[in-house]
Amino acid sequence: MPSAFIVQETTTKTKYKFFISKHSADSFEVNNNHTAVRLTLFHQNVQSLRNKKTSMELLLTEKTSNFDIICITEHWLKDYEFEYLNLNTYSLISKFCRKDKANGGSCIYVKSNIEARECTLFQHLNQEEHFEASIVELTQYNIMIICVYRTPTS
């Protein structure tokens, strides 16, 4: 059951606003220094990114596909395979790869012009075949993007 969540801190008293993306492509508004900015998120369960890299690149080069964040579940890749998998104008910020079992996984790519860093605070919650999450903080917007893959049997 793939999901993409967007979490935005709304005040300094740690209140958060949650947006849950229910579509493969979604947009949401965030505040950046009291200015509203619209970001777009693309989420896809690809069931192997190895054989879909070209399709992804074609999709991302279309004029109508101007996504800021790309969340991918079930990429089926090992850690070392990401070294050879670059998406033009995007940076891989966070990934979860299975070590013992096949398939699964999640990752988040962010457009290169957006300040982002991996959030490792919740990595200890990841468990193969049960909860496989990648988390990114968009530092200039003070929000976190969470991409989660849960197997149908978890």
Side-chain angles (χ1 to χ4, degrees):
M1 300 179 73
S3 301
F5 302 90
I6 300 100
V7 181
Q8 180 177 23
E9 187 173 350
T10 56
T11 69
T12 55
K13 295 180 181 182
T14 63
K15 292 182 182 176
Y16 295 94
K17 198 189 290 185
F18 288 85
F19 304 90
I20 300 175
S21 178
K22 296 180 179 175
H23 311 287
S24 61
D26 219 339
S27 66
F28 55 97
E29 198 169 280
V30 296
N31 290 316
N32 183 21
N33 296 327
H34 307 292
T35 304
V37 176
R38 183 152 296 282
L39 296 175
T40 54
L41 181 137
F42 175 74
H43 175 257
Q44 192 68 49
N45 182 317
V46 295
Q47 294 186 336
S48 183
L49 195 50
R50 276 184 213 98
N51 62 351
K52 295 181 182 79
K53 182 181 186 286
T54 304
S55 297
M56 285 289 290
E57 287 174 336
L58 287 172
L59 173 73
L60 297 174
T61 56
E62 289 181 13
K63 290 181 182 178
T64 58
S65 301
N66 190 20
F67 303 113
D68 297 300
I69 302 116
I70 301 171
C71 297
I72 298 173
T73 49
E74 281 202 90
H75 57 66
W76 296 8
L77 300 174
K78 299 293 182 190
D79 262 333
Y80 69 89
E81 291 178 280
F82 276 99
E83 293 175 31
Y84 310 103
L85 195 108
N86 297 314
L87 296 177
N88 290 337
T89 71
Y90 292 90
S91 300
L92 175 67
I93 306 296
S94 181
K95 66 183 183 301
F96 175 83
C97 301
R98 290 185 182 178
K99 291 178 178 44
D100 300 321
K101 305 280 184 174
N103 306 335
S106 67
C107 65
I108 302 174
Y109 286 87
V110 177
K111 208 172 238 182
S112 299
N113 65 340
I114 298 175
E115 294 175 30
R117 68 181 175 91
E118 182 175 29
C119 178
T120 58
L121 188 61
F122 304 104
Q123 281 184 342
H124 66 282
L125 298 175
N126 281 331
Q127 186 178 2
E128 289 185 23
E129 295 187 317
H130 295 284
F131 184 81
E132 301 174 6
S134 300
I135 306 172
V136 166
E137 180 183 1
L138 303 182
T139 53
Q140 69 196 76
Y141 301 113
N142 200 29
I143 65 171
M144 294 202 304
I145 307 294
I146 306 168
C147 178
V148 178
Y149 175 66
R150 289 182 53 227
T151 60
T153 58
S154 66

